[in-house]
Amino acid sequence: MTARAATGRVTRRRVRTRANLLDAAFAVFAAKGFGRVSIEEVCEAAGYSRGAFYSNFDTLDELFFALYEQRAGLIAEQVTAALASDGPDLDVPAAVERVTEVLLLDRDWLLVKTDFLVHAARDPEVARTLLEHRARLRRAIADRLARARGHTALPTALGDAGQAAHAVVAAYDGVTTQLLLDQDVAGARVWLGQLLTALLTDGGARQ
């Protein structure tokens, strides 16, 4: 057996262990709440020892950020892909429709994210890290809106593409908060589409 083959197996096993820990943590966080879960509970749900946990993560905060990166990355990819189809022009109503059709609106994830948001609000260091993650999504949106500038006019009240991206993310936050309460995913997609279209087209309706 070569050292490279052995290392490859160890690496694959570690990747699998990390993925299993993340999946287990997600389920436990969603069921019980981030602040009510211990490392032991995550390990038990995943079927691993504390040693396996600490070989991958130092703290539950670090594990959560790994979860956040997964979903923030997925959302950024969804938004980027949905906005990329129009070339330099941007058909805002059509792009919004594509975004709202595929956008991650998972209630369990929203529960976990909301719990951690409250946690971060009480810890400046955690809050800074969470703000950095949220900024990635805004940058993905702002980049696309900036590339459409000159081809597609944005409402002057929004200012530049960066401010428009802030408005888009704020709309998403508001709609997902309502979704946590009424659990109406289909309604959330419709409402988000209407709100984003209004925001990005001076309130213009779909034709």
Side-chain angles (χ1 to χ4, degrees):
M1 181 189 305
T2 66
R4 179 176 296 181
T7 300
R9 277 203 293 275
V10 169
T11 301
R12 286 194 295 272
R13 184 166 66 245
R14 181 165 185 173
V15 169
R16 189 163 56 247
T17 298
R18 182 182 175 88
N20 290 340
L21 284 167
L22 288 169
D23 288 344
F26 179 80
V28 176
F29 288 162
K32 300 186 67 173
F34 174 80
R36 300 177 179 87
V37 173
S38 67
I39 290 174
E40 288 78 8
E41 287 173 297
V42 172
C43 293
E44 181 179 354
Y48 292 123
S49 66
R50 287 174 62 94
F53 180 93
Y54 286 116
S55 70
N56 288 275
F57 306 102
D58 290 332
T59 64
L60 283 176
D61 282 1
E62 183 182 338
L63 183 151
F64 176 83
F65 281 126
L67 279 175
Y68 193 92
E69 283 179 345
Q70 282 183 342
R71 280 151 180 85
L74 175 59
I75 291 171
E77 288 173 5
Q78 290 171 332
V79 169
T80 300
L83 295 179
S85 303
D86 298 318
D89 297 309
L90 184 63
D91 181 341
V92 171
V96 165
E97 186 171 356
R98 290 194 301 270
V99 168
T100 55
E101 282 177 354
V102 302
L103 192 60
L104 180 69
L105 290 175
D106 179 78
R107 188 171 182 270
D108 283 347
W109 166 240
L110 297 176
L111 284 168
V112 173
K113 186 180 74 167
T114 301
D115 276 344
F116 198 80
L117 179 64
V118 173
H119 170 63
R122 295 189 173 96
D123 186 323
E125 184 176 349
V126 177
R128 281 194 295 273
T129 305
L130 189 58
L131 285 169
E132 290 170 5
H133 284 283
R134 287 173 60 85
R136 293 181 189 175
L137 177 60
R138 290 198 304 271
R139 285 196 296 270
I141 298 169
D143 177 67
R144 181 62 185 95
L145 293 176
R147 285 186 285 115
R149 203 80 173 178
H151 300 272
T152 303
L154 294 174
T156 54
L158 290 179
D160 61 18
Q163 291 173 306
H166 268 279
V168 168
V169 174
Y172 173 77
D173 286 343
V175 169
T176 53
T177 297
Q178 181 66 28
L179 173 59
L180 278 174
L181 301 176
D182 63 25
Q183 304 184 42
D184 182 2
V185 175
R189 292 192 189 282
V190 171
W191 174 231
L192 183 61
Q194 293 171 340
L195 187 55
L196 293 182
T197 300
L199 270 174
L200 298 175
T201 60
D202 272 325
R206 296 171 185 260
Q207 300 298 318

